[in-house]
Amino acid sequence: MTSGGEAILFWVLAPMAVAGSLGLVFARKAVHAALGMALTMIVLGVFYLAQGADFLGVIQIFVYTGAVMMLFLFVVMLVGVDSSDSIVETLKGQRAATVVLSLGLGVLLAGALGRVTIGDAPADKVHALNAQNGNVSGVAELIFGRYVWVFEATSALLITAALAAMVLAHRERLGSRPSQRAWSERRIRSGENLAGLPVPGVYARHNAVDTPALLPDGSPSELSVSRVLTARDQVGNATPWVEAEREIERDVSQDRDRDDAAKEDRA
Amino acid sequence: MSTLLSLHEAAGTFSESALHGIQTLAAEGKDNPRADFSDTPWWLSLVKALIIFVYLLVSTLMVIWFERRVIGRMQQRPGPNRNGPFGLLQTLADGMKAMLKEDNTPAKADRFVFTLAPLITATMCFIGFAIIPLAGEVSMFGHRTPFQLADSPIAVLFVLAIAGIGIYGVVLAGWSSGSPYPLMGGLRSSAQMISYEIAMGLSLVAVFLYSGSMSTSQIVGSQGSVWYIVPAFFSFFVYVITMVGETNRLPFDLAEGEGELTGGFHTEYGSMRFAMFFLGEYINMFTVAALATTMFLGGWQAPPGIAAINDGMFNEGWWGLLWFTIKLWMFMFVFVWLRGSLPRTRYDQFMRFGWKFLIPATLGWVVLVAFFRGAQNGWFGDAALEIAGRRFPVSSLAIVGLVAVGALAFGWWWDNRAMAREAAANETAPEEIDPYAGGFVVPPLPGQRLRETARVGAPALPEADPVTERPSGPAVFDFTDKEAPRG
C-alpha cells in the first residue's frame, strides 16, 4: 500500500489528469484541447516523480509539455484551427480502422496490465536502487549499456523521419527571390502604380487595413486593400465614415449660413 | 554472412566493454544530492519556502528600483528619487497603482485563458528557485538543515522543465487576447524562449560532465577547488547570452518590440494581470541568474581569497547567503548594464545566431569537454603532466593543442580572405580620369587629375571677363592681409 502522502497526491492529481484528458476529447476550441493534454502530461510527470522515477518524470514535463505540446500549440495558433473546420474524411474507412485499432490496443494493455503482479512493494525497490546508484546513473546504465543498440536504432529512425519530413515538405525555389530593387525596376518598366499601391484607410479616424482608400471622386480604391482580405470577403466599407464626414460638413455650413444671416441682420 | 557475424561479435564486445565502463562510472555515485535533509521537519520546509518567497519578492522590489536608478545614472539623469529614501519606495507605489487600476478584458478575449496565462507566469517563476542552494548547512530553530527547499538528482533539469511550463503563460496570453499584436508577440517570444532553452541546456551539459551530477548541492560542493567558470568558460559565455534571450530582456526583448508590436504578448493586459507578467519577468531573471551562480560561480561559496581566511570561517553557515546574494546581484547589474547600452537586435538575426552559431558551437564544445573528462578518467592512456599541483593528461593537452592550431589556421585563412575581399572592394582609382567618359560629367576624386584631352565631348565655355576692379566701398570681410590678392 502506498504511503499517506502519496495517496493524497494521487487522489488530488488523478482527477486532474482525467479531467485534462476529457477536456482534450471534448473541448470545442483546439487550444483548449491542447491545454487539457498539457495538463495531463504534467500530472503524469508528477506521478513519475512521486514513484521515484525522477529522470523520467522531469523529462516527461520537459520534452512533452515544454517542446512537443508547445509545437502543437504553435501550429494551432498559427493556422487558426477551430471547430468550424471541415470534418469530411479524406481517408475512407478511417473511423472503422480507428475503432478496430483502439480496441486492439485496449486488449493489449489490459492483457499486459493484468499480468503485473504487485508484491514486494516495487516502489521501495526503485527507491533502494536510487539510493544505491542514483536515478540518472541507473537510467544511463540501461540506455547506454544494455539497451544501447535499441536506443541508437530508435534515434536513427527518428532522425530519418525528421529528415524525411523536411525533404517532403521542402520546396526548392527555382529562381532567386526578387529584391526590393527588382520590384522597383519592374514597376517603373511596366509604368503602372509608379509610386506603389495606394494605402488603405479613410482619414485619421479609421485607418484599418480592411477599409479601402477613397479616390478623389469619392469612390473606393480596390487596389488599396490586400487581395487576401478581398478573397476572404473581409473588406470593410468606407460609407459610414464618409457619411459622418458629410454630416459634419453640413453642420458647419449650416452654422456658417446662420452666422452670416445674423451678421446681415445686425447690419 | 561471416562479416555480419564478426560485426555482431565486435558489437557484442564493444557493448560489453562499454557496459563495464558505464557501470564503474555509475558506481562512483555522485548522482544523489549532497545536501542532507534528514534533520528537516516538514514545518521547517514551509518556513524555508516562505523565506525564499519573501527573499524573491523583496529582491524584485529592489531590482526594479536598482534598474531604474542605474539606467538613470548611465543616461545622466537621477532616476526615481522621490518616494522614500533614495526613491526606494517607488516600486511599492507603482505596485499599489497597478492594483488599483481598472482591469479590462477585451471583448474578443478568451476569458478563462486570458486570466490563466498571467497566473501561470506568476506561479511558475517561483517554483524554479526551490532547488537553488542559498547557503550551505545552517541552523534554523534548533535544526541543522541545508538552506535550500529541495534537491534531487535532476534538480537542474527541473528548473528547465519549469521554465518550459512558464512559456505557456506567454503563449496563452498572446493567443487569448484575441488581437494580432499579442498573437505575434506571443509566437515570437515562445519561439525565442524554446530555441534559446536548447542552447542553454546544452551549455549546462559541460557542467554536468565536470561535476558528474545534476543535483545543485553536488554541483556547488564539487566547485570547492575551482569554479566551473574556469574549465567551462565557453559554456558560461553561452549561458549568459541564452539567459538574456530566455528572459526576454534587452537586447533580446523582441517579443515586446514597441516599434513593431506595441507591447507584444501583454499588449491587452493591464492592472494586476499585467503586474503578474512584470513580476514573472523579474523573478525569472533572478532564477536564471541564481542558476548561473550555482553552476558556474561556486554558488554560496566564498570567493577564493576570502574562503582561505581562518580555515574557511566565511564558508560556513549563514555567510553563504551573503556570497550568494552578491553573486546574484552581479548578474542583475549585467542585465541592467546590457539594457542601458545595447539596442534591440533584429528577430531573424537573433534566431540565426541562436540556431546557427550557439547550438552547433555548444555541441562541439560539449564533445570537447567529454574528451577532457575521458582523459581525466584515464581512457586515453595514463601519461600526464603535473603543473602547479594539478594533473593534466597528455591527451587533453594534445586536444587543446590541436584546437589551438586549428583556430590559428582558421584565423589565418579568414584574415587572408578578408584582406583579399577588402583589396577587391577598394581598388585604387586611376590617377587620371576622363570626366566625360560615361556621358555625364564626373568630378575627380581627391588626388586625381583631369584628362586634358577631353574637350571633344564638351562644348567650349565662353571665357569669362577677368575681374579688374575691386568692388567699391568698405570691404566687410577683409581677408587680404594675410593672402596675396588673387587678381
Side-chain angles (χ1 to χ4, degrees):
Chain A
M1 206 44 219
T2 50
S3 64
E6 206 176 323
I8 293 170
L9 187 77
F10 178 79
W11 287 114
V12 170
L13 287 184
M16 283 172 73
V18 174
S21 20
L22 288 179
L24 167 64
V25 179
F26 293 113
R28 288 214 164 160
K29 288 185 177 165
V31 171
H32 290 174
L35 273 184
M37 193 160 180
L39 177 69
T40 310
M41 284 173 169
I42 293 173
V43 172
L44 284 185
V46 175
F47 281 154
Y48 292 148
L49 284 173
Q51 292 290 320
D54 296 345
F55 187 73
L56 187 63
V58 87
I59 287 296
Q60 160 91 14
I61 295 176
F62 191 21
V63 173
Y64 284 93
T65 318
V68 176
M69 277 318 295
M70 192 57 85
L71 285 180
F72 259 76
L73 212 57
F74 241 73
V75 174
V76 167
M77 280 163 63
L78 269 181
V79 180
V81 185
D82 57 34
S83 54
S84 65
D85 279 2
S86 156
I87 47 166
V88 178
E89 288 180 48
T90 46
L91 294 170
K92 282 200 171 174
Q94 168 177 287
R95 292 193 183 195
T98 314
V99 169
V100 171
L101 283 178
S102 30
L103 276 180
L105 184 68
V107 169
L108 266 179
L109 276 177
L113 288 178
R115 270 188 288 146
V116 170
T117 49
I118 303 172
D120 280 5
D124 286 353
K125 268 188 197 167
V126 174
H127 287 300
L129 271 178
N130 284 351
Q132 186 195 343
N133 258 358
N135 184 268
V136 184
S137 297
V139 172
E141 201 181 310
L142 288 179
I143 289 181
F144 296 108
R146 195 190 299 169
Y147 297 116
V148 66
W149 292 108
V150 183
F151 183 70
E152 293 298 326
T154 315
S155 67
L157 186 70
L158 283 176
I159 291 171
T160 316
L163 282 178
M166 276 171 72
V167 168
L168 288 177
H170 181 69
R171 197 180 51 181
E172 197 75 37
R173 185 176 274 282
L174 292 173
S176 63
R177 189 190 185 131
S179 64
Q180 197 173 1
R181 186 191 178 91
W183 278 114
S184 153
E185 278 170 359
R186 195 181 297 173
R187 228 172 20 235
I188 301 281
R189 289 241 165 77
S190 69
E192 281 173 30
N193 302 318
L194 285 183
L197 294 172
V199 288
V202 181
Y203 318 124
R205 304 185 51 172
H206 196 69
N207 59 358
V209 286
D210 65 342
T211 314
L214 294 185
L215 295 174
D217 63 350
S219 59
S221 160
E222 282 175 18
L223 282 176
S224 66
V225 182
S226 160
R227 60 197 159 88
V228 177
L229 291 179
T230 314
R232 283 194 196 155
D233 209 13
Q234 287 179 334
V235 178
N237 194 352
T239 319
W241 311 106
V242 177
E243 288 295 323
E245 186 76 4
R246 296 255 161 80
E247 184 80 14
I248 293 171
E249 276 172 10
R250 245 196 321 272
D251 280 0
V252 170
S253 65
Q254 273 174 6
D255 278 2
R256 194 186 296 135
D257 288 350
R258 212 176 43 224
D259 286 355
D260 288 352
K263 267 182 209 160
E264 274 172 23
D265 283 354
R266 255 177 284 159
Chain B
M1 194 64 203
S2 61
T3 46
L4 262 183
L5 269 180
S6 62
L7 195 69
H8 186 254
E9 262 171 36
T13 48
F14 171 74
S15 64
E16 281 297 307
S17 61
L19 190 60
H20 182 68
I22 284 164
Q23 273 167 347
T24 49
L25 263 190
E28 284 178 19
K30 285 177 79 178
D31 240 34
N32 285 328
R34 183 177 291 196
D36 182 15
F37 290 95
S38 56
D39 191 19
T40 309
W42 63 269
W43 57 266
L44 193 55
S45 290
L46 279 186
V47 170
K48 280 195 282 189
L50 190 68
I51 292 176
I52 291 173
F53 184 72
V54 171
Y55 178 83
L56 280 176
L57 279 186
V58 172
S59 299
T60 307
L61 283 182
M62 290 290 295
V63 83
I64 295 173
W65 169 83
F66 174 78
E67 176 167 28
R68 297 177 66 180
R69 291 287 283 193
V70 171
I71 285 196
R73 190 52 66 86
M74 285 175 179
Q75 296 169 349
Q76 303 192 342
R77 58 185 173 81
N81 60 357
R82 292 304 167 104
N83 295 317
F86 309 106
L88 265 170
L89 298 181
Q90 179 67 42
T91 319
L92 208 63
D94 287 345
M96 295 306 289
K97 190 183 89 174
M99 259 187 265
L100 296 174
K101 282 178 101 169
E102 186 187 352
D103 200 2
N104 282 315
T105 308
K108 280 192 179 175
D110 184 315
R111 285 177 174 275
F112 171 66
V113 182
F114 191 72
T115 312
L116 180 71
L119 286 178
I120 292 179
T121 305
T123 46
M124 284 306 147
C125 60
F126 285 102
I127 297 181
F129 227 84
I131 53 93
I132 302 287
L134 275 69
E137 201 148 279
V138 296
S139 58
M140 223 187 258
F141 306 107
H143 293 275
R144 295 288 297 170
T145 177
F147 197 178
Q148 74 184 99
L149 188 57
D151 200 0
S152 97
I154 38 85
V156 180
L157 283 185
F158 177 76
V159 178
L160 294 180
I162 293 298
I165 300 178
I167 299 174
Y168 274 87
V170 173
V171 178
L172 293 178
W175 175 78
S176 67
S177 299
S179 62
Y181 281 154
L183 183 68
M184 301 296 288
L187 285 176
R188 262 191 186 192
S189 60
S190 51
Q192 157 182 352
M193 286 156 106
I194 292 172
S195 10
Y196 272 63
E197 210 173 278
I198 299 174
M200 181 184 252
L202 276 175
S203 73
L204 295 181
V205 168
V207 176
F208 300 152
L209 284 173
Y210 276 119
S211 67
S213 177
M214 287 188 276
S215 128
T216 44
S217 57
Q218 278 283 3
I219 289 173
V220 172
S222 54
Q223 293 182 74
S225 59
V226 57
W227 294 355
Y228 285 140
I229 185 176
V230 179
F233 60 93
F234 185 74
S235 284
F236 179 72
F237 167 72
V238 173
Y239 183 88
V240 170
I241 293 173
T242 54
M243 84 181 185
V244 181
E246 177 82 11
T247 46
N248 285 335
R249 293 274 305 177
L250 262 171
F252 299 148
D253 69 334
L254 307 149
E256 301 167 24
E258 294 93 355
E260 307 147 16
L261 296 174
T262 355
F265 65 90
H266 58 56
T267 304
E268 305 284 2
Y269 281 87
S271 182
M272 263 324 270
R273 286 191 277 205
F274 171 74
M276 283 189 207
F277 281 121
F278 204 67
L279 178 78
E281 179 182 326
Y282 279 93
I283 297 198
N284 274 334
M285 276 162 67
F286 276 108
T287 308
V288 289
L291 199 61
T293 306
T294 308
M295 303 293 282
F296 297 103
L297 294 187
W300 48 262
Q301 304 200 40
I306 302 174
I309 297 172
N310 199 6
D311 213 14
M313 180 183 85
F314 291 111
N315 239 345
E316 302 268 322
W318 289 90
W319 282 104
L321 189 59
L322 175 71
W323 310 127
F324 179 82
T325 309
I326 289 174
K327 290 172 190 173
L328 193 66
W329 278 83
M330 269 167 47
F331 281 104
M332 287 296 130
F333 177 74
V334 170
F335 271 123
V336 174
W337 191 9
L338 285 177
R339 184 177 164 190
S341 42
L342 290 180
R344 184 177 297 131
T345 51
R346 218 172 66 197
Y347 188 66
D348 59 328
Q349 290 171 336
F350 172 71
M351 290 303 259
R352 197 170 57 208
F353 180 66
W355 283 97
K356 294 195 173 166
F357 173 71
L358 285 184
I359 294 178
T362 321
L363 264 178
W365 166 250
V366 167
V367 172
L368 208 63
V369 170
F371 267 109
F372 292 153
R373 284 291 288 150
Q376 264 180 10
N377 288 351
W379 291 356
F380 309 121
D382 292 327
L385 289 179
E386 288 260 349
I387 303 168
R390 288 187 169 274
R391 202 173 144 274
F392 294 100
V394 170
S395 40
S396 297
L397 295 175
I399 294 170
V400 170
L402 254 166
V403 170
V405 167
L408 272 178
F410 179 77
W412 178 73
W413 173 78
W414 181 268
D415 267 6
N416 269 3
R417 211 180 62 148
M419 266 155 64
R421 201 180 277 172
E422 200 173 337
N426 299 334
E427 272 185 276
T428 45
E431 274 188 18
E432 200 179 68
I433 62 157
D434 180 1
Y436 297 102
F440 290 103
V441 191
V442 180
L445 289 172
Q448 275 184 332
R449 266 182 293 119
L450 288 180
R451 186 171 294 162
E452 292 299 327
T453 54
R455 290 235 157 184
V456 214
L461 292 170
E463 295 271 330
D465 289 331
V467 182
T468 47
E469 281 178 58
R470 286 176 65 98
S472 56
V476 184
F477 300 107
D478 190 17
F479 295 115
T480 50
D481 53 342
K482 282 180 189 164
E483 279 180 288
R486 288 181 180 174

